[in-house]
Amino acid sequence: MQSLFQIIMLLLDVAWFIMLAHIIMSWLINFNVLNLGQQFVAQLWYGLNRLLEPIYTPIRNFLPNTNPLDLAPLVAFIIVISLRDYILPAILL
């Protein structure tokens, strides 16, 4: 049971890091610090989007439409943090 807990925690840590990188990168792109015209930045951005869209899409379908503001990354980030820090340790330990 302990090894299963450690595997789940590792997956949640990786998801947390990828989501954090995606959120920070979206801010940097919106404030024109990063340019999508650069090949490395564009490939990294599209790769992160392809990784995270299957997570964000069901959340977007559930949330109300807030056109200029996308709240799906925030909600997903809060869910991962809650699972990682509060819910799973309370259930499994």
Side-chain angles (χ1 to χ4, degrees):
M1 191 66 163
Q2 184 68 20
S3 62
L4 178 64
F5 174 73
Q6 289 175 348
I7 291 170
I8 292 172
M9 291 300 284
L10 177 66
L11 291 174
L12 288 173
D13 285 340
V14 169
W16 178 83
F17 180 74
I18 290 172
M19 292 171 76
L20 183 65
H22 184 258
I23 291 167
I24 291 173
M25 195 168 177
S26 71
W27 292 342
L28 294 175
I29 289 171
N30 285 330
F31 291 122
N32 292 323
V33 175
L34 292 178
N35 183 6
L36 287 177
Q38 297 173 339
Q39 185 178 7
F40 176 74
V41 173
Q43 286 179 350
L44 185 61
W45 177 247
Y46 295 131
L48 287 174
N49 280 332
R50 289 187 67 177
L51 263 175
L52 294 172
E53 278 306 312
I55 297 170
Y56 293 161
T57 302
I59 296 171
R60 284 188 187 116
N61 292 337
F62 179 73
L63 291 176
N65 187 10
T66 56
N67 261 344
L69 185 61
D70 185 15
L71 297 176
L74 176 66
V75 171
F77 197 66
I78 290 172
I79 290 171
V80 167
I81 290 172
S82 299
L83 282 171
R84 187 187 68 167
D85 294 341
Y86 303 112
I87 297 171
L88 284 179
I91 291 173
L92 296 175
L93 291 180

